[in-house]
Amino acid sequence: MKTREVLILQGDGIGPEVCHEAKKVLEHINDTKDLGITISESAVGGCAFEEFGSPLPEKTLKLAQRSDAILLGAVGGPSWDNLDYDLRPERALLGLRSELDLFANLRPAILSKYLSDSSSLKPEKVLDLDMLIVRELTGGIYFGEPRGRSDTNESAFNTMVYSKNEIERIGRVAFEAAQKRNKKLCSVDKANVLEVSVLWREVISDLANEYPDVHLSHMLVDNAAMQLVREPKQFDVIVTGNLFGDILSDIAAMLTGSIGMLPSASLNSKNQGLYEPVHGSAPDIAGKGLANPIAAILSVAMMLKYSFSLNEASSDIEGAIQEVLSAGYITHDLEGNNNKKLSTSEMGNKIIEKLI
Ligand code: NAD
C-alpha cells in the first residue's frame, strides 16, 4: 500500500494542546480505515529556538521536505518577541512556506449552523456562510526585496512585488476552486493606487478567458473589508495577494464565531501541503485546557482531502464535528446558551466518539 508521510510540528503556546487532539483523530481514522499514514514529529518555533538555536532547525526542514503533508500547531509567544528578526518563531513559518514553495493558501470560512450565535454579526447575516479565501503566500510585500532601514535609521522600507507568473499560478488555483463551488470569483487588489495591483488585475482578467464558467469580479481591498462585514454571503471565492489576504482572512475568521474553528491549507504545485489552524499560539490560554482543537482537527480533514485525496475520511471528520456541535458541545471560546462546555481534550475525545 502507498505510504503517506505526515510530519507534526506542534510549536508553542496552545500548539501542542491542539496538535495532541488532532493527532489522536488522525491516528484513529488511520487505524480504523487503514490509510497507511505514518507520523513523525519535530520541533518548530520558539521551542525549537530554545533547544537548537533556530526556529526552523535543519532537521525539521529536511523532515518537512521529505513528508507529504505537515500539520503545524502555532508558533510564537512573548518570550521570543524581542529576538532578532531572523530568529523569531514566525520566521519558521515564512521559511517553510518559501522552502516548500507553498504558494497557495486556502482558508475556508464556514459557519456551522449550530454556532450562528457565536458570530460577531447578526445570525441572519451569516447563516449558512460558506466562502473560501485563496491567498498568495510566497510573494508580495512579505518577501519583496529590497527591505530594510535607511543608513541613518530614520526610515524603513519593504517592497511589494509580483511577477506575472506568480499572479497566474495563484489565479489558476482560485478559478479551479471556484469551478468546484458556486463559480463566483472576486479578485481583491488596490489597483487605484498600486502599480503591482494594476498588473494583478490585468493577469487575473486575462486568465478569466480560460474559465468562462466562472463569473469574475474585482474589488478594492478597502471595500472588500467593508463588504465582508456588511454582506459576507455575497462572496464565494476571493483571490488576493499576501498582505491583503492576511488581513481579510482574519476578518472572515471572526464572522464564523471563533478563530478556534478555522483550518487552513498551504499547497505547492505537487499538492504537498502545510496544514494549520488559522489561530496563533494564544499564550493567554496556553496550558489551561481552554483551547478549541477544532481548527487543528479540521486542518487534518483538509490534509486528507487536498494532499491524499481521501475525501471520504475527510468528510467523516467534518461530519463528526458537526454532530458534536449539534449535540450542544462547545469549547470555552464559543457562545451559546444551554451548551455543554468541554476542555480541549474532552472535545477531541467527543469527536473521536462520533467517528466510531
Ligand atoms: P492568537 O490567535 O494566538 O490569539 C488571539 C485570541 O484568540 C486570544 O484571545 C486567544 O486566546 C484566542 N484564541 C486563539 N486560538 C484559540 C483557540 N484555538 N481556542 C480558543 N481561543 C483561541 O493571536 P495573537 O494573540 O495575536 O498572537 C499570539 C502569538 O501567536 C504571537 O506570538 C503571534 O506572533 C503568534 N501567531 C502565530 C501564528 C501561527 O503560528 N500561524 C498566527 C498568528 C499569530
Side-chain angles (χ1 to χ4, degrees), residues 14 18 72-78 81 88 90 93 97 258-261 276-285 290-295 331-333:
I14 61 169
V18 297
L72 188 141
V75 294
D81 277 351
R88 287 175 60 102
E90 294 77 4
L93 287 177
R97 287 169 189 166
S258 170
I259 202 160
M261 295 291 298
E276 52 178 330
V278 162
H279 60 73
S281 60
D284 52 335
I285 57 164
L290 295 176
N292 184 347
I294 293 179
T331 43
H332 293 262
D333 50 313

